[in-house]
Amino acid sequence: MSTPQHPPQHESRAHGHDHPGPTMERRCDVAVIGASAAGLAAALQLARQRRTVIAVDDGTPRNAPAAHMHGYLGREAAAPSELLAVGREEVRSYGGEILAGRVLAVRPVQDGRFRVELSGGHTLLARRVLAATGIVDELPDIEGVAPRWGQDVIHCPFCHGYEVRDQRLVQIVTHPMGLHPTALLRHLTDRLTVVLPDVTGVDEAALTALEAAGVPVVRTGARRVVTGADGTVTAVELVDGTQLEADAVVVGTRFHARIEALAPLGIEASAHPTGLGEVLQVDPVTGETAVPGVYGAGNLTDPSLQVLPSAAHGGRIGAMIAFSLADEDLRSAQRTAGEEGDWDARYGTGERMWSGNPNGTLVAEVEGMPPGRALDVGAGEGGDSLWLAEQGWDVTAADISGAALEHVGAEAERRGLVVSLLHRDVNAPDAVGGATYDLVSLQYGSFLRTPEQRGLRTLLGAVAPGGTLLVVGHDLSPMREPVDPAEQTRMFDPEAYVGVEEVAAALATQGGWTVQVHETRPRPSGAVSTHHVDDVVLRAVRSR
């Protein structure tokens, strides 16, 4: 009915970094590599098509040095980080997950899926893979360029041109294509100077036209970019020692597609027609690479795409992937939720994931209550359900995973206990069939967000008047501490799931509840997963 008892977290609060083991494999419909504009737009499309989407991002977007982005209708001059924050919240609101980490390699699996290998030894098993990793700019080897890159050393008239209008601009040309934006620059300022060393293949007619239009062309090389006491650009020093005063510098870059992780699939970058770098070749309509099931989106496929068109491209390719999955499912007559398959794969191994004991907080909070009807949401292997049944409760164990419920049923039969099994997703319509219970327990469980909070409304609605809601979750503070994506990937995104605080907020908004306990306390001993230290406990009674 929900994800099982213990969401896949591997944290060590004491050390403030991810627990070194064990490693984990998760399953999803689509693995997205990169969670900037293109990757997020694709993930949003797919999550809205009820596909399980896990995006992995290492926090190195191409526009990281820029303080603002431009030309994005509706978000003009916003900080790139602001767009990412809003976009990620939108993806998570539909249950899409965004993991901090790094994809190291993508390999084919015999059943047609892909094994996505992550830092920390973890893996994703995905039906489709979307690369939205962008490109890396290779800056010219000129002293002082790199420190001011994206600030007052720029390369794109559309990204930064307006901000340097009417200023002293020095354009350093290092490639024949470097003159391509010069006419635009001339229109933005009448104080433009072109620095041109001996570059083979430069269009001499274009140079003549520039000079005739009043643009000075200095035919020598640049040695360094000079900055003032405040760190901003003041001049460009030439190889002969001459300094050209400047408020900003325009340079051309070479670029490389970030597709190293796709190498095991035989996917290689292709030369861009400009000769300035390499890109990932994809089908112009579907975005699919030469390897079926692997797609590319954003400026990884076209370096001219700014943030807005990159997002648009990602949205279109996300839709193409959705069509691909839907057609495949139609041919196989399957309609299984990806989340269900993820948990079935874990519980179907035949090995016990947890201790089999009831959760200590459940025992402490419920012991002494008069037995009645109980709903164990996200029952997992059933330690809590079985204990409640032993105490005389009429128990329904609910879980999204049929494999998990098989464990519960078998163990109940072995102990001679009666436990009803409900194989449902809490986000499904009428998930509990209108039934109400004297105790509704969600122990370390979670369910994906939906915009209308369907699962949360089901959870609260299952509590009978006078009944008790008991929600226990891990203190997620360690999950919000920084992680080195090169060393570790966080395999669980708590922001994509409904948590204890969101349940508490809903109780306050809805009214008709008395909150008896809402606190963080040390986790009772005896759990298999010892890397969680504190629990957040919420117990409330429904008055009407």
Side-chain angles (χ1 to χ4, degrees):
M1 183 172 187
S2 71
T3 50
Q5 286 174 283
H6 300 279
Q9 305 165 36
H10 294 276
E11 294 282 342
S12 172
R13 177 171 179 174
H15 297 95
H17 54 70
D18 283 14
H19 194 264
T23 58
M24 175 178 294
E25 178 178 274
R26 296 188 60 189
R27 300 185 178 212
C28 60
D29 290 321
V30 185
V32 179
I33 311 174
S36 291
L40 288 174
L44 182 61
Q45 288 278 50
L46 289 159
R48 283 179 48 80
Q49 290 300 308
R50 307 183 73 177
R51 294 298 177 181
T52 51
V53 183
I54 298 178
V56 183
D57 189 79
D58 64 4
T60 58
R62 183 190 187 193
N63 64 357
H68 305 280
M69 60 183 188
H70 299 284
Y72 200 129
L73 187 63
R75 293 200 174 275
E76 170 58 30
S81 59
E82 177 185 320
L83 175 72
L84 295 187
V86 172
R88 292 179 181 196
E89 178 59 30
E90 290 173 347
V91 171
R92 287 163 169 155
S93 73
Y94 292 96
E97 293 190 57
I98 302 161
L99 309 181
R102 181 169 294 171
V103 174
L104 304 179
V106 180
R107 304 183 190 278
V109 180
Q110 287 185 344
D111 63 2
R113 288 179 293 182
F114 301 91
R115 187 175 305 282
V116 182
E117 298 176 359
L118 309 174
S119 57
H122 309 295
T123 56
L124 299 175
L125 201 59
R127 296 173 61 187
R128 302 289 187 272
V129 173
L130 170 64
T133 46
I135 57 179
V136 175
D137 288 300
E138 180 184 315
L139 304 180
D141 187 18
I142 299 171
E143 182 184 344
V145 164
R148 301 302 302 171
W149 177 243
Q151 300 170 76
D152 42 16
V153 174
I154 63 175
H155 78 296
C156 173
F158 295 102
C159 300
H160 307 283
Y162 188 84
E163 283 61 48
V164 297
R165 70 193 186 283
D166 299 324
Q167 296 184 18
R168 298 170 299 178
L169 296 188
V170 173
Q171 181 189 13
I172 304 173
V173 177
T174 59
H175 186 276
M177 286 295 297
L179 289 175
H180 183 64
T182 309
L184 292 171
L185 298 173
R186 175 184 172 275
H187 186 69
L188 291 168
T189 181
D190 61 358
R191 295 190 289 174
L192 170 66
T193 300
V194 174
V195 173
L196 180 70
D198 186 16
V199 177
T200 303
V202 169
D203 185 348
E204 290 294 335
L207 287 175
T208 300
L210 282 174
E211 291 178 312
V215 177
V217 177
V218 179
R219 295 175 180 267
T220 187
R223 174 181 294 162
R224 68 185 180 107
V225 173
V226 181
T227 55
D230 61 355
T232 61
V233 168
T234 59
V236 170
E237 182 177 302
L238 306 179
V239 293
D240 61 7
T242 303
Q243 288 197 0
L244 302 176
E245 293 184 345
D247 301 303
V249 176
V250 181
V251 298
T253 67
R254 296 178 181 271
F255 48 84
H256 304 282
R258 301 178 59 187
I259 59 170
E260 296 81 4
L262 304 182
L265 300 173
I267 295 177
E268 298 179 349
S270 301
H272 191 263
T274 61
L276 289 173
E278 299 84 37
V279 295
L280 176 64
Q281 290 288 344
V282 298
D283 183 277
V285 176
T286 66
E288 196 167 28
T289 68
V291 176
V294 179
Y295 296 75
N299 62 19
L300 176 71
T301 67
D302 180 352
S304 71
L305 297 183
Q306 293 177 265
V307 182
L308 177 59
S310 286
H313 191 237
R316 182 164 65 83
I317 303 308
M320 294 298 102
I321 297 173
F323 274 117
S324 169
L325 290 166
D327 290 343
E328 182 176 279
D329 288 345
L330 182 63
R331 290 193 300 271
S332 62
Q334 296 295 315
R335 196 175 178 272
T336 304
E339 188 189 9
E340 180 179 355
D342 185 19
W343 286 106
D344 275 347
R346 294 186 213 174
Y347 284 124
T349 63
E351 299 180 2
R352 183 181 293 277
M353 291 180 66
W354 314 119
S355 68
N357 300 322
N359 285 301
T361 301
L362 172 78
V363 173
E365 295 294 326
V366 173
E367 209 160 28
M369 289 177 59
R373 301 186 69 223
L375 176 66
D376 183 12
V377 179
E381 291 167 328
D384 294 338
S385 294
L386 297 167
W387 180 83
L388 287 167
E390 289 173 340
Q391 310 310 305
W393 289 82
D394 176 7
V395 181
T396 296
D399 205 283
I400 193 174
S401 170
L405 293 177
E406 288 179 8
H407 286 284
V408 182
E411 185 63 17
E413 183 177 358
R414 188 186 72 80
R415 298 189 194 181
L417 300 171
V418 176
V419 176
S420 300
L421 306 179
L422 179 61
H423 183 199
R424 294 298 297 275
D425 181 356
V426 73
N427 276 317
D430 198 26
V432 297
T436 57
Y437 299 83
D438 303 300
L439 172 66
V440 174
S441 174
L442 178 68
Q443 299 288 309
Y444 306 104
S446 53
F447 44 90
L448 293 172
R449 295 184 186 277
T450 64
E452 76 281 17
Q453 298 184 315
R454 180 187 283 179
L456 181 55
R457 288 190 285 111
T458 296
L459 182 73
L460 302 187
V463 182
T468 298
L469 172 69
L470 178 61
V471 180
V472 180
H474 298 299
D475 176 16
L476 297 177
S477 299
M479 292 289 288
R480 297 179 175 93
E481 296 175 4
V483 62
D484 182 355
E487 299 295 329
Q488 189 61 252
T489 295
R490 287 204 164 119
M491 292 301 286
F492 173 70
D493 180 5
E495 305 302 332
Y497 294 83
V498 175
V500 179
E501 298 308 318
E502 191 167 346
V503 176
L507 295 179
T509 301
Q510 188 178 97
W513 293 86
T514 300
V515 176
Q516 298 176 326
V517 178
H518 185 195
E519 63 185 21
T520 300
R521 64 174 72 153
R523 186 180 185 191
S525 60
V528 170
S529 53
T530 59
H531 49 284
H532 295 293
V533 178
D534 293 332
D535 284 342
V536 182
V537 182
L538 174 66
R539 189 184 74 225
V541 174
R542 185 169 196 164
S543 56
R544 56 179 170 83

